[in-house]
Amino acid sequence: MKKTLLSLLFCSASTLAMTQSIDEIINAQEVERIEKTLSADDMQGRKVYTPGLEKAADFIAAEFKNIGLKTLNGLTTYRQEFLMLQPKLISVAATLDGQVLDPKNVIVVTTEAEFSITQASGYELAFIPPGENIFEVAYNLVSARKNYLVRVDTSYTKRFGALNNFKRNLMQNSKTVVFILSPTAPTNYAITAKHDISNAKKLANVTAMIPGKKKPNEIVIFSGHYDHLGIGKAVKSDSIYNGANDDAAGTTAVIM
């Protein structure tokens, strides 16, 4: 299952001197309290962009505060907020070596409202040849945070359009990946695209830190995602996907 970028972060720069034994700190009663709270029906399955997720974030932040953890440097709360964009295509056009490419054979994965490149723009060229896992290769390219012009072999014609799914949730960044369905690699090209990016949505990591005493510049990060699937198709009259194991359990482990 594909996870969102939402995550719970906890930073520790040194081993903390504990006055309590580890068995007193990590105990079944506290584990049960935290995990049952996060996976309770009133969390509504903790789907992104829902009140249930906000409630879970508030609970985690309250736990961090009760523990006495510090906020990350530069933050005044335990929330590390960021925007997720879902660009909606307005128009796209591409000319390859003087030939106009069908717009359906061009996909521009970008967070820019106005986009335009030519062969002089310095984009790195890539190719997805026949026989590959097109979505795995495309994912790696999009995740690389580089500017790419990616030629996709025409053997993927039926699956090419599904690459638009990479625009469903994007973090703001200055890099763009352009996929073109073409039998040959272009020498000269001009590609433009316009997107509506006005529907940005806010999410947040919940973060906390124990500063190191001897090595304050060294950081160890423990993380787990606290979102889940929300409310969906009912199974035995229960439509809430509580997510106890995915990943209230992991979030509980980090808090403990």
Side-chain angles (χ1 to χ4, degrees):
M1 178 173 60
K2 183 179 180 182
K3 303 301 179 189
T4 69
L5 293 172
L6 204 58
S7 64
L8 170 77
L9 302 180
F10 174 84
C11 304
S12 173
S14 67
T15 301
L16 187 65
M18 297 291 185
T19 57
Q20 298 172 284
S21 72
I22 196 67
D23 290 332
E24 290 176 305
I25 297 167
I26 300 177
N27 59 79
Q29 183 177 352
E30 273 295 275
V31 168
E32 184 175 2
R33 176 186 68 85
I34 296 170
E35 185 166 354
K36 281 191 172 182
T37 299
L38 287 168
S39 59
D41 282 354
D42 62 5
M43 290 290 181
Q44 300 175 315
R46 308 188 308 278
K47 188 174 182 179
V48 293
Y49 313 127
T50 68
L53 186 75
E54 294 297 308
K55 187 172 183 177
D58 289 341
F59 171 77
I60 297 165
E63 292 295 306
F64 284 171
K65 183 177 181 179
N66 291 337
I67 294 167
L69 301 180
K70 294 184 179 295
T71 60
L72 296 190
N73 294 335
L75 296 182
T76 57
T77 73
Y78 295 108
R79 288 187 182 228
Q80 184 186 48
E81 295 185 340
F82 56 93
L83 293 177
M84 296 299 293
L85 304 179
Q86 297 173 324
K88 292 184 178 180
L89 181 65
I90 298 173
S91 64
V92 63
T95 302
L96 310 180
D97 294 327
Q99 299 295 314
V100 176
L101 192 62
D102 189 327
K104 71 180 181 182
N105 294 334
V106 187
I107 295 174
V108 181
V109 181
T110 185
T111 59
E112 297 180 22
E114 303 276 345
F115 173 80
S116 179
I117 61 168
T118 69
Q119 67 278 357
S121 299
Y123 270 52
E124 189 171 338
L125 302 180
F127 176 49
I128 304 181
E132 297 287 337
N133 184 325
I134 180 176
F135 303 110
E136 180 178 337
V137 177
Y139 174 80
N140 291 334
L141 292 168
V142 171
S143 301
R145 295 295 180 91
K146 293 182 179 181
N147 289 322
Y148 278 111
L149 175 64
V150 184
R151 182 170 71 89
V152 179
D153 187 80
T154 53
S155 61
Y156 299 105
T157 298
K158 292 183 178 179
R159 289 183 283 172
F160 182 77
L163 296 178
N164 277 302
N165 288 333
F166 287 108
K167 297 195 288 186
R168 291 174 61 183
N169 285 290
L170 293 175
M171 294 186 70
Q172 182 74 52
N173 71 88
S174 60
K175 304 302 181 183
T176 295
V177 177
V178 181
F179 296 99
I180 56 172
L181 189 69
S182 174
T184 58
T187 301
N188 298 291
Y189 56 86
I191 301 171
T192 61
K194 293 183 180 180
H195 288 87
D196 177 3
I197 58 172
S198 61
N199 62 340
K201 296 182 179 180
K202 185 180 293 185
L203 290 176
N205 297 317
V206 186
T207 61
M209 179 171 70
I210 300 173
K213 294 180 179 179
K214 294 183 179 179
K215 298 181 179 181
N217 294 323
E218 292 189 10
I219 296 176
V220 178
I221 299 176
F222 298 88
S223 71
H225 69 94
Y226 66 93
D227 64 306
H228 194 55
L229 301 178
I231 299 174
K233 184 178 180 181
V235 178
K236 295 183 179 179
S237 301
D238 185 356
S239 60
I240 298 177
Y241 291 72
N242 301 83
N245 191 48
D246 185 11
D247 191 29
T251 303
T252 299
V254 173
I255 294 173
M256 291 305 299

